[in-house]
Amino acid sequence: MSKQTAANFLIVSPSETKSAELYQASLRGIANYQQLGNRLIRLAEQAHAFRQFEKVKEYGQILSNIPIKNYQAVGYYYLAVATNNRGNGDQDAARKLFELTTDVAPDPYKAKAILSLAAVALHAGDYQSDLRYLVESVKASKDVSTTVRAQLGIAIYKSMEGFHQQASDDLENLYTFARHSQPVVFLDYLNSLAVELGEVGRKDEARNIMRHVLASPFAFAYPEWHETAEELRGANHSFVAVSVSRYNVLTMPEREASEQHSFQSRPARVLDLARWKKKMAKQAKEKQTEQLLEEMSLQDMGFKLLGLISDNRMDEDHMRIILTFVMNLLSEPVGPPDKPSA
């Protein structure tokens, strides 16, 4: 795409955007273009996670007007995302914008754009191009979340070809890596894992996973997650028991009536907790726990603690420790969790 064509697509002055107030708000407290660009990228990522494509478009327009080439190129990417609108927008224009991004954007956004080209190809029914872009994206990726999304796409491709057991195995092997991705990427991964577990007959595990997915604050923007839950729902199963706090801490689901009688003798399996316990037992406990905690985000620790609670082995002292953790967690600002300090 020529620079002139790119300009026709993208260059919009801030006063011509739908929200001049948005532009002015973005400038508050900003000392330079770099700070502005970084703030807009964070806001665009947040809007993208919640599928607020009008906001994604506005942030992309402002970014594309910053007089720094890298930020302009990132703006092109977000404009492409908004134009694509999950396959509901102008696909030809979105494809051209993603191709432009792969030519001019910094490496992390090149990988994201290649991954998005895979989605455009899939929507068009071009499955060979879809797979080719997915593989290219894995090779080009510079961050965990993009790699997880690409690997997830490859597993979905295998599933579409009927190789459900292989897709399920691939996704289970991806769990440890996926949990370090962005929260919405991890939740999307869990949704796909639940789909494939259901396909290979492991529906109880799949249902348990979906209870947590539907408890997330992103669930309202992802109708496909609700569709997965509905497909997994049995005659005596419900997904209503889970609630969510305003701080991204997922509460554990109540047990189904059919399971109440065995609560004491059969601990619940929460995500991959059983595998985690097995791994812990093989190594020196204290050293391994120390190392694991260093690698875990707050969200990861929350999942693990909630899993331990579900085993119903906690005495009063243990529960006090857990309550202390939760209270400390709630004192942190809402947003992607940081790793604990050393």
Side-chain angles (χ1 to χ4, degrees):
M1 181 184 293
S2 69
K3 290 184 178 179
Q4 183 58 44
T5 305
N8 291 338
F9 265 115
L10 308 166
I11 303 304
V12 181
S13 68
S15 61
E16 292 172 344
T17 64
K18 287 187 177 180
S19 178
E21 291 182 3
L22 175 67
Y23 178 71
Q24 294 299 327
S26 300
L27 290 175
R28 289 172 193 157
I30 296 297
N32 54 51
Y33 283 121
Q34 186 174 4
Q35 288 183 7
L36 174 61
N38 291 339
R39 175 180 291 184
L40 288 168
I41 288 172
R42 288 194 299 271
L43 292 171
E45 279 294 303
Q46 180 179 325
H48 188 192
F50 284 101
R51 291 178 170 173
Q52 298 168 327
F53 293 110
E54 281 301 315
K55 287 186 177 180
V56 173
K57 179 180 178 182
E58 291 178 354
Y59 295 133
Q61 286 175 333
I62 301 172
L63 277 164
S64 68
N65 280 277
I66 291 177
I68 299 175
K69 288 184 178 179
N70 279 352
Y71 288 116
Q72 290 176 0
V74 174
Y76 302 163
Y77 168 75
Y78 288 115
L79 283 169
V81 167
T83 301
N84 182 42
N85 194 6
R86 295 188 61 241
N88 298 315
D90 187 333
Q91 296 294 280
D92 187 54
R95 178 180 55 77
K96 291 176 181 178
L97 287 168
F98 283 128
E99 288 172 349
L100 173 64
T101 304
T102 64
D103 290 337
V104 300
D107 286 345
Y109 285 89
K110 287 182 181 179
K112 290 174 183 284
I114 294 170
L115 182 58
S116 296
L117 284 170
V120 172
L122 178 63
H123 186 79
D126 185 355
Y127 303 118
Q128 292 304 313
S129 293
D130 171 40
L131 181 59
R132 176 170 57 84
Y133 283 130
L134 288 170
V135 173
E136 286 182 17
S137 181
V138 171
K139 293 177 181 178
S141 176
K142 303 294 183 181
D143 65 273
V144 172
S145 294
T146 302
T147 301
V148 169
R149 282 200 183 278
Q151 294 284 7
L152 181 56
I154 292 172
I156 292 172
Y157 180 89
K158 291 179 181 180
S159 176
M160 290 170 58
E161 292 293 313
F163 300 109
H164 296 293
Q165 186 61 59
Q166 190 174 352
S168 175
D169 291 343
D170 288 351
L171 289 174
E172 284 198 280
N173 290 335
L174 188 60
Y175 173 81
T176 301
F177 190 63
R179 70 180 186 177
H180 295 292
S181 62
Q182 295 170 341
V184 71
V185 175
F186 182 57
L187 290 163
D188 212 23
Y189 155 80
L190 289 177
N191 174 70
S192 293
L193 175 60
V195 170
E196 294 310 315
L197 289 177
E199 290 288 349
V200 298
R202 295 164 60 183
K203 292 192 175 181
D204 285 341
E205 295 170 81
R207 292 186 189 107
N208 190 43
I209 289 172
M210 289 312 300
R211 289 187 181 97
H212 293 278
V213 172
L214 294 184
S216 80
F218 298 97
F220 76 93
Y222 291 77
E224 63 269 32
W225 298 352
H226 296 272
E227 290 170 10
T228 299
E230 286 299 320
E231 290 171 5
L232 290 167
R233 189 194 301 275
N236 297 318
H237 296 88
S238 171
F239 292 92
V240 179
V242 180
S243 62
V244 62
S245 81
R246 58 187 285 253
Y247 292 97
N248 286 358
V249 180
L250 306 184
T251 59
M252 296 300 295
E254 294 178 7
R255 288 185 166 264
E256 300 160 14
S258 61
E259 296 177 343
Q260 294 284 351
H261 67 280
S262 60
F263 186 86
Q264 297 293 335
S265 60
R266 184 170 61 85
R269 173 173 173 146
V270 180
L271 306 182
D272 216 15
L273 186 60
R275 185 177 298 175
W276 179 78
K277 285 183 177 179
K278 187 175 180 181
K279 179 180 178 182
M280 290 288 289
K282 289 180 181 178
Q283 304 179 36
K285 217 168 191 182
E286 303 236 347
K287 183 177 178 181
Q288 179 64 18
T289 302
E290 229 174 327
Q291 182 181 355
L292 187 61
L293 285 172
E294 296 231 344
E295 298 173 352
M296 293 172 80
S297 67
L298 285 176
Q299 185 183 22
D300 294 331
M301 289 189 286
F303 271 112
K304 291 302 179 189
L305 286 168
L306 290 169
L308 291 171
I309 293 172
S310 73
D311 278 350
N312 200 35
R313 298 188 208 165
M314 298 290 128
D315 57 23
E316 183 176 345
D317 289 337
H318 284 113
M319 290 299 291
R320 287 183 186 280
I321 293 171
I322 290 174
L323 182 59
T324 300
F325 168 82
V326 173
M327 291 174 69
N328 289 335
L329 180 63
L330 295 184
S331 69
E332 296 294 326
V334 179
D338 298 320
K339 289 188 177 181
S341 57

